[in-house]
Amino acid sequence: MPYNELLSIRITTILLENNCSFKEKKMFGGITFMINDKMCIGAMQDVIMLRVLPEFYDALLEENDVRPMDFIGRITAGFVYIDAEGFKAERQLKRWVAHGLDFA
């Protein structure tokens, strides 16, 4: 299943606007963005995969369009999926990228 290339470009643009040094790596059926050798955000087909700091994890799961990451049928602690409705607007996507940067 291909990843969402437009979403990848949107994330890349935000990272560049923040003067971030990052690497892209294909994994989990999408493309992930590595900062300081830490996977922090990824573009999948129609969701964002996001690594968050432990102190924000539970609160973020309470939000609309956010759910635990269960890539292999098990919940992966510290990771969430954000469904497409949760990052339609640029301000929404910037917020998610900021959470990934906080983790990295």
Side-chain angles (χ1 to χ4, degrees), residues 32-52:
T32 62
F33 296 86
M34 311 283 288
I35 298 175
N36 299 325
D37 294 323
K38 295 178 183 176
M39 176 177 35
C40 64
I41 191 165
M44 312 293 269
Q45 185 168 7
D46 57 353
V47 299
I48 289 173
M49 177 203 61
L50 183 68
R51 182 81 191 258
V52 298

Side-chain angles (χ1 to χ4, degrees), residues 50-64:
L50 183 68
R51 182 81 191 258
V52 298
L53 291 169
E55 57 264 31
F56 297 120
Y57 182 76
D58 290 330
L60 290 175
L61 287 176
E62 298 295 319
E63 295 190 28
N64 291 335

